[in-house]
Amino acid sequence: MGIVRFSKFRQYKDLLYALPASYTVDMIRNKHFLLDRDDKKKIEIYYAPFEYVNERAKVVIVGITPGLHQMKKSFSTVIETKDRLNEEEILHEVKKRSSFEGPMRKNLVKMLDELGLHEYLGLSSTIELFDDANSLVHTGSVLNYPVFYKGKNYSGTTPDILKTDLLRKHIMEGFATEISNMDQPLIIPLGVNVSKVLTYLAEQNYLDADNLLLGFPHPSGGNGHRHRQFAENKEQMQEMIRDYFLHHPIKL
């Protein structure tokens, strides 16, 4: 467990600490926190402190990119904890509070429990992964920092995530290095665009394709197809989880 090697927290720490508790979106999504941009593709990437990694995690849950809601949650967490926690503890708290926070987490937990993942982990429900059993999980995104397309949360579709040089660069410099240091975790990509990226990384030998739980839908309430996608893939996902823990048992 610790801070990712590519962390920029110290670079932005003073700016973060100087923000008022009642900050506005304009105070965090501006040139001071702008990391990268591609004007032609209408993409902007901003800093947010999603830089804690649990390298011993048994399960890794992966999204596309933190959205504005998660970005705001991460900034608020830093402001609230800066006087009582050290840097690593602050970044850990950001992950715990911000990862798939809100209705998305509820949908995620419901599907994971229906697959029976909690039973293999010795839990009563996978909701515990976001609380007392947090040491078992790492949550992340293939794009570690918030990406916006035309000012809106980037979905991974337009522009194409792997065909866009700027996005591919951030994937390889961030998430790819993060996942390559982990010891064969079960990796759960949320949605087809994340699955596409992780399959690509498996082809590049950054992770083991056999550990990918393919077919898991994105848990966003905006994904109207998630119930159908989950039902169609449920049996094969249960079989994959069973096979994974057969070869990577957890001592309960």
Side-chain angles (χ1 to χ4, degrees):
M1 297 186 185
I3 302 173
V4 294
R5 284 179 294 176
F6 55 84
S7 173
K8 297 173 175 58
F9 185 72
R10 289 186 177 172
Q11 179 183 337
Y12 287 94
K13 185 170 70 171
D14 291 342
L15 282 172
L16 286 164
Y17 288 4
L19 286 169
S22 57
Y23 66 85
T24 63
V25 171
D26 288 340
M27 290 180 186
I28 64 171
R29 208 166 71 171
N30 58 36
K31 64 179 182 180
H32 301 295
F33 291 103
L34 183 66
L35 281 179
D36 231 332
R37 69 190 302 163
D38 182 331
D39 291 331
K40 189 175 179 182
K41 298 280 188 179
K42 297 173 181 163
I43 288 174
E44 292 179 330
I45 303 176
Y46 288 88
Y47 177 76
F50 292 100
E51 297 172 323
Y52 181 85
V53 60
N54 177 8
E55 291 184 349
R56 296 182 214 158
K58 301 300 181 186
V59 177
V60 177
I61 305 173
V62 191
I64 280 285
T65 178
L68 181 60
H69 178 74
Q70 281 76 29
M71 183 182 180
K72 289 162 63 180
K73 190 81 174 176
S74 73
F75 276 68
S76 296
T77 300
V78 171
I79 293 166
E80 187 183 326
T81 61
K82 63 186 172 70
D83 295 325
R84 58 184 175 85
L85 300 179
N86 63 36
E87 290 181 10
E88 184 174 325
E89 290 168 338
I90 289 171
L91 294 176
H92 190 194
E93 197 64 23
V94 165
K95 274 292 179 83
K96 284 198 290 187
R97 294 192 193 184
S98 307
S99 297
F100 312 116
E101 191 263 345
M104 195 186 303
R105 184 181 291 186
K106 182 180 176 183
N107 296 336
L108 175 63
V109 165
K110 185 176 185 298
M111 288 188 284
L112 291 176
D113 283 356
E114 201 170 327
L115 293 176
L117 177 62
H118 59 294
E119 296 171 7
Y120 293 95
L121 299 173
L123 307 175
S124 59
S125 167
T126 51
I127 191 66
E128 294 176 53
L129 292 174
F130 299 95
D131 195 5
D132 293 341
N134 195 246
S135 62
L136 292 172
V137 71
H138 174 68
T139 57
S141 304
V142 292
L143 292 161
N144 295 76
Y145 300 112
V147 179
F148 299 94
Y149 169 63
K150 294 184 177 179
K152 303 259 175 94
N153 291 339
Y154 173 61
S155 69
T157 303
T158 305
D160 188 292
I161 191 166
L162 288 175
K163 292 179 180 176
T164 303
D165 291 343
L166 179 65
L167 298 180
R168 194 171 62 252
K169 178 187 86 138
H170 276 266
I171 290 168
M172 304 312 292
E173 291 177 356
F175 182 79
T177 64
E178 193 177 287
I179 197 72
S180 64
N181 290 318
M182 296 188 185
D183 185 22
Q184 298 285 308
L186 173 67
I187 306 172
I188 306 174
L190 304 182
V192 293
N193 289 317
V194 182
S195 295
K196 181 170 71 171
V197 173
L198 294 187
T199 300
Y200 170 78
L201 292 179
E203 291 167 356
Q204 304 297 314
N205 296 315
Y206 283 91
L207 54 93
D208 189 338
D210 290 339
N211 298 341
L212 284 176
L213 187 68
L214 298 177
F216 198 93
H218 197 283
S220 166
N223 179 10
H225 303 292
R226 75 176 189 277
H227 298 295
R228 176 181 56 78
Q229 291 170 339
F230 182 80
E232 288 174 353
N233 297 315
K234 180 179 176 181
E235 194 172 316
Q236 73 178 43
M237 288 192 291
Q238 286 176 318
E239 186 177 333
M240 190 269 158
I241 291 173
R242 188 163 54 245
D243 288 347
Y244 172 83
F245 285 103
L246 184 66
H247 294 97
H248 304 85
I250 291 180
K251 293 178 183 178
L252 303 176

